[in-house]
Amino acid sequence: MPKLLQAFLKSPKVSIMVQENITSILLENRIFSPPENFVNQANLTKKEYDRLVLKAQTDFEGFWAELAEKNIFWFKRWEKVLEWNEPFAKWFTGGKTNVSYNCLDRHLKDRANKVALIWISENGEKRKLTYKELFNEVCKFSNVLLDLGTKELDRVVIYMPLIPETIIAMLACTRIGAIHSVVFGGFSIEALKDRINDAKAKLVITADGGYRRGQIVPLKANVDEALKKCPTVEKTIVVNRLQTKDQRPKTKDQEKVSSPWSIVPGPTYYWYHDLIKNISNKNKPKELDSEHPLFILYTSGTTGKPKGILHTTGGYLLWANVTMKWVFDIKDNDIFWCTADIGWITGHSYVVYGPLSCGSTVLIYEGAPNYPDWGRFWKIIDENKVSIFYTAPTAIRSFMKAGNEWVEKYNLSSLRLLGTVGEPINPEAWMWYYKNIGKEKCPVVDTWWQTETGGILISPIPGVTNTKPGSATFPLPGVFADVVDENGNQAPYNQSGLLVIKKPWPSMLRTIYGNDERYKQTYWSRGVACNALTKGSLYYLTGDGACKGTNNYFWLLGRVDDVIKVSGHLLSTMEVESSLVSHPAVAEAAVVGYPHEIKGEALCAFVVLKQSAISNQQSALNSQLKDHVAQQIGPVAKPDQIRFTDSLPKTRSGKIMRRLLRDIASGKKTVGDTTTLEDVSILEKLRVEEE
């Protein structure tokens, strides 16, 4: 068990957030009933919601059996709902199904000509694929994979831009029983190499390049370098994303030969368009066990070695499908847009498998949210009549900073539901989203989940749940979540503790690929000496701090490893960031710790001001913001340093790279890996300001 997690659990007060038994977040008393003009009775009414909650409590396995029977096509019905040999679970054992069949084949009778995918490129290209067209492309590529010798359980790494061929490749793998591992296209050569080798992949699928902010991302060139140290890879398929030969990254003799070509030393390379030419679009999906491995997705580990999270077929698909219906109230005429990259779990569950298994129309956009300007997202919503929009709080705060004028240029009346994902959203950002994007007529579903959980576990139900800005509200039916103290007992109300899940759920990770022991120690260890864990069943340790407030509303407080110990007090950086952003002058903030000879660690806040506040004297604002935090949380939470900046270092997916900020705050002359950074120049600006 990580030392920081142990410290979090064993601290007498857990963190300064419990001071006087209430936090600034829990002072949030605004509550919003479902908008009167929001019509949700298609998927989950209040009466049905209450029935399901009771069913899960009184007949746990019967609850899941009912959902599986209703929502998933099975070639063969399961024999047993759950085998729980803690902490290893098997769901719907004996059942046979196929993810590709559920996402494509079963829709062909009623939705063959319905648009499945709308793809928009950064430079204005647009493609649409109906369910029939997507089915044909997936069948063709499935045959390509089989012709190249790909077998069940072979690992296939996908390192691609956000284009339709990425989704086609994923679905083709699921169709034939290969295990895919999608690697985010912004990852470095080293990160790609590590993931390929850990998975022992035989095949890599990539593109000759991608586009980001008008620049070419050299994906294939990265693969070329990585594969020099990846002995298990035998073949590589390359999609021609770039428009002309002149734009393609030059590889020795590549332009002179037709597919396949060889780069020595290394595997054989094939052009995607050559392989699918004149190939059959008939492919029968494999009837796979419910527990057949579906994909490996790598997430960060505290040791620095990525964890290969393994998800399986039946249970994962069920929960992606059900949560798509419950949380997003998906209807047949919706245009659903989740802005996540497919390289992350959000892209897996709510760009690909959840929406397509529901027969939805999914929009995917290749580029950055502010290219060529800050109106790009709103323009896409306007032109494509997007009805459901799901994005990250970081993006929302960036839009706030850019100003409402970008929003006001476009007609957003097609929207009927908004969602947030990836991190806790502060109340001010929630309210801006609700008022300026949703026009106070769209419910906001603030969702909590993880790569490991496979799908959403805590969220409002639109049209059913009364929402509070900044709260993810309640666990979904069938999810038994709680907040525990250092003894594993339920934490008192309005006091922070550790978020745990008390019972298994179908989309839970099965293990860390190739390392069952690490899986047990990371997520289920008894080493925390929690009384409840030793008396009964294990709890799943989420690694997130949380508290339950009035009427059992859940408030997420960020990762436990974002807790900093200052003068003996454990502080949540999310709590301090939320306090800073609540000040009317602040658009965005990131708080990190740095070594301090007296306190052990001190707080440094990197603050982005709103346009209207930039002209104010920063020295005065510096004192105001420190006092503001002290008043809201307590003097011990007052940042030692506040550094004003035009922008924060972020990944291409919009997450703030706090690791780099910690390096800068600590005065390090060099920082760690910056290959996933969207704009490297931001670091130079921060260094100049520091000097």
Side-chain angles (χ1 to χ4, degrees), residues 229-286:
K229 297 181 180 179
C230 298
T232 62
V233 176
E234 299 170 0
K235 299 178 178 70
T236 299
I237 300 173
V238 185
V239 175
N240 178 15
R241 168 68 188 97
L242 305 181
Q243 299 306 297
T244 69
K245 290 184 178 181
D246 292 339
Q247 291 176 304
R248 296 179 195 154
K250 299 294 188 228
T251 303
K252 184 179 179 181
D253 295 329
Q254 178 176 328
E255 304 297 342
K256 300 178 182 178
V257 296
S258 60
S259 176
W261 73 88
S262 180
I263 299 171
V264 180
T268 302
Y269 282 65
Y270 301 83
W271 279 116
Y272 179 96
H273 58 267
D274 285 344
L275 292 173
I276 63 170
K277 194 184 303 179
N278 301 321
I279 198 165
S280 172
N281 63 356
K282 307 295 182 184
N283 180 280
K284 185 178 179 180
K286 294 285 182 69

Side-chain angles (χ1 to χ4, degrees), residues 380-641:
I380 290 172
I381 291 172
D382 185 358
E383 291 181 347
N384 295 276
K385 306 306 175 190
V386 172
S387 54
I388 303 174
F389 182 62
Y390 191 37
T391 196
T394 297
I396 294 167
R397 289 189 288 268
S398 297
F399 295 136
M400 289 172 63
K401 183 197 172 195
N404 289 359
E405 61 270 21
W406 292 108
V407 179
E408 292 164 0
K409 290 181 178 182
Y410 301 98
N411 181 357
L412 305 183
S413 61
S414 62
L415 289 170
R416 69 178 192 88
L417 180 64
L418 303 175
T420 70
V421 61
E423 58 185 322
I425 184 170
N426 56 295
E428 285 68 31
W430 193 101
M431 287 301 302
W432 182 90
Y433 196 35
Y434 177 69
K435 288 182 176 180
N436 293 280
I437 306 306
K439 312 301 180 186
E440 300 187 29
K441 68 179 180 67
C442 299
V444 177
V445 288
D446 172 10
T447 64
W448 177 86
W449 59 297
Q450 303 172 317
T451 302
E452 293 87 345
T453 71
I456 297 164
L457 296 192
I458 303 176
S459 172
I461 299 297
V464 173
T465 310
N466 293 330
T467 53
K468 290 186 177 184
S471 170
T473 68
F474 309 109
L476 295 177
V479 176
F480 291 81
D482 208 345
V483 180
V484 299
D485 63 15
E486 69 274 12
N487 294 315
N489 298 315
Q490 187 177 66
Y493 286 102
N494 297 336
Q495 290 196 12
S496 56
L498 182 67
L499 179 67
V500 296
I501 311 298
K502 292 185 171 183
K503 291 187 177 183
W505 65 101
S507 66
M508 61 188 282
L509 79 164
R510 296 304 192 260
T511 189
I512 293 174
Y513 184 71
N515 198 333
D516 287 350
E517 188 59 35
R518 188 182 182 194
Y519 163 72
K520 290 190 288 186
Q521 290 299 320
T522 301
Y523 300 109
W524 305 91
S525 173
R526 296 179 186 272
V528 295
C530 288
N531 292 338
L533 305 191
T534 54
K535 289 178 181 177
S537 297
L538 293 174
Y539 294 168
Y540 168 75
L541 306 174
T542 69
D544 280 352
C547 60
K548 282 199 291 187
T550 307
N551 297 324
N552 288 318
Y553 278 75
F554 276 71
W555 299 82
L556 279 301
L557 304 173
R559 294 293 299 168
V560 169
D561 46 18
D562 285 336
V563 172
I564 298 171
K565 194 169 187 178
V566 178
S567 299
H569 298 279
L570 287 168
L571 304 177
S572 164
T573 58
M574 180 269 172
E575 172 81 357
V576 181
E577 288 170 7
S578 184
S579 175
L580 287 165
V581 175
S582 71
H583 191 282
V586 177
E588 200 169 10
V591 174
V592 297
Y594 66 96
H596 191 280
E597 61 181 2
I598 297 175
K599 298 180 179 181
E601 277 190 293
L603 296 177
C604 178
F606 293 83
V607 172
V608 179
L609 297 175
K610 294 178 181 176
Q611 292 294 327
S612 57
I614 288 177
S615 59
N616 295 347
Q617 290 188 355
Q618 291 188 355
S619 58
L621 268 177
N622 192 306
S623 298
Q624 286 179 26
L625 292 177
K626 289 180 179 180
D627 292 342
H628 179 74
V629 173
Q631 184 178 5
Q632 284 207 331
I633 305 176
V636 72
K638 183 188 292 188
D640 287 67
Q641 295 184 40

